[in-house]
Amino acid sequence: MSILFLTSLASACSFSQTQQAGFDRLLIAVGKGAASVEVADLNNDGRPDMAVANTTDSNVTILLNQGNRKFKPAAGSPFFAGHAPNDIAFADCNKDGYTDMILANHERKHVTVLLGNGRGQFAPAPHSPFAVAVKPHTHGVAAADFNGDGKIDIVTDSWGVDSIVVLSGDGQGNFGNPVFYATGKHPYQRVRVADFNKDSLPDIVGTDLDANDVMILPGNGKGGFSAHFFAAGNTPFGVAVGDVNADGNLDLAVINAPTISGSKTGNDGLTVLTGDGSGNFSMLKGSPFATGKGPTRVAMGDLNDDGTSDIAITHYNSDFIAVFYMGPSGVLLSSLQIDSFSKSDGIAIFDMDGDGKKDIIVTGGDTNNVMILFNTGK
């Protein structure tokens, strides 16, 4: 692993090489066009498993954790997931106690719901996929009980009409009654859910590609939302949630990606927004931080056990992951080489081997693999 000190970072922050950590690599074959990867216990054995959306194959690979850094496909995996699954959310959609999956279908006005059986196997909900009149198609997806009825609902984006849309769930795995909420200009690629103002109600966050901001939509627990906007650098493309300064308030890591967003202008990078616990955000000094060209997706998690969330970013046209180690002493940028692993895209941070250290999981769209970077702490 090499360490990069970028001028834009060094002028704003201090650094400490003691934050460097080493990683062991494990490569696992999945499907074609491996993109989103998400982690959850999918067979109720207490171990974290992986779901990888294969966009070219229109399916999802389920890799069950066997312990001792070993994984195997679930029986019947991969499972059909609708056309070009682009994003994954986990929730119990039919209230049977098992984890289900919701997938946004890129290039289609659909979300696909796959119901889990608690053994790592999935089948379409009876009326899946669910049509949603977005424009032009779905990109990101998240799930929570937004209206307080005890049933999971779904949120996705409608880029072409500057809105997000919430689909209400009936508790049996069905979704409908879409309600659109205005956002900034062109909400794109990712929506996520968290409680940003500590009222124990789910809020929504997303990026407005052409407004250069993030939108925060605090929920009122009855299905209502109102949007608030915070500057987030050039062409915000994706967002992750964590706590970069250990103050107990949720913060945001935002990818700035004009080079992979058509004719957009500006610089690729990372903008960090710190939250105050009441739903307001301010830009961290030094933002936006320089990344490699073409950053695509972002994940947050504590990689060096200092109590703060670090930030990892994939680059679609490069063979490295940028890792920003956050902490009270400043920001350290580390470059993790992933040679012969092109078009890295999906990324997640989770302790996959139970050693108490967070690991990095990344997908390779051209190589049809998922790579686990096991954190050795060295």
Side-chain angles (χ1 to χ4, degrees), residues 14 86 97 162 165 189 202 299 302 308 317 323 343 362 368 372 375:
S14 59
N86 187 59
D162 300 334
V165 56
Q189 280 300 333
D302 186 1
T308 63
N317 294 312
V323 179
K343 293 194 183 302
V362 61
N368 308 325
I372 304 176
N375 190 347

Side-chain angles (χ1 to χ4, degrees), residues 44 50 53 55 145 197 202 210 236 255 260 285 300 317 339 349:
N44 293 331
M50 292 180 287
T55 56
D145 176 10
N197 55 3
D210 290 350
I255 290 176
I260 59 172
K285 184 179 179 180
M300 297 181 75
N317 294 312
D339 300 331
I349 296 177

Side-chain angles (χ1 to χ4, degrees), residues 102-105 108-113 125-138 154 156-158 165-168 173-180:
I102 307 106
L103 303 105
N105 295 122
R108 296 290 187 273
K109 302 176 188 290
H110 290 151
V111 292
T112 293
V113 175
H127 300 100
S128 179
F130 297 95
V132 53
V134 298
K135 183 179 180 180
H137 45 251
T138 59
I154 294 172
T156 188
D157 60 285
S158 188
V165 56
V166 173
L167 301 174
S168 295
N174 300 308
F175 297 88
N177 302 315
V179 178
F180 286 74

Side-chain angles (χ1 to χ4, degrees), residues 3-60:
I3 304 296
L4 304 180
F5 295 100
L6 302 185
T7 301
S8 61
L9 281 172
S11 64
C13 305
S14 59
F15 298 87
S16 170
Q17 292 196 41
T18 60
Q19 293 178 321
Q20 180 178 356
F23 293 85
D24 296 332
R25 303 197 304 177
L26 173 66
L27 205 61
I28 305 171
V30 289
K32 294 180 180 178
S36 290
V37 56
E38 299 294 343
V39 176
D41 181 5
L42 302 177
N43 60 352
N44 293 331
D45 66 353
R47 298 189 185 109
D49 309 307
M50 292 180 287
V52 180
N54 305 306
T55 56
T56 304
D57 284 343
S58 293
N59 60 29
V60 58

Side-chain angles (χ1 to χ4, degrees), residues 62-81:
I62 303 299
L63 296 171
L64 300 180
N65 192 335
Q66 307 299 294
N68 297 317
R69 297 186 175 184
K70 296 180 180 179
F71 296 81
K72 73 174 184 180
S77 176
F79 303 99
F80 180 68

Side-chain angles (χ1 to χ4, degrees), residues 99 124 154 170 183 247 269 276 283 300 353 373 376:
T99 300
I154 294 172
D170 67 356
T183 66
D247 64 354
D276 66 358
M283 197 174 293
M300 297 181 75
D353 57 0
L373 295 159
T376 66

Side-chain angles (χ1 to χ4, degrees), residues 161-165 179-185 187 208 215-217 225-229:
V161 294
D162 300 334
S163 299
I164 60 165
V165 56
V179 178
F180 286 74
Y181 298 92
T183 66
K185 191 169 181 60
D208 291 320
M215 55 177 176
I216 300 292
L217 289 89
F225 297 91
S226 59
H228 304 265
F229 305 97

Side-chain angles (χ1 to χ4, degrees), residues 194-219:
D195 180 10
F196 296 109
N197 55 3
K198 298 185 178 181
D199 62 357
S200 300
L201 301 173
D203 309 316
I204 298 170
V205 60
T207 55
D208 291 320
L209 188 74
D210 290 350
N212 293 337
D213 63 37
V214 295
M215 55 177 176
I216 300 292
L217 289 89

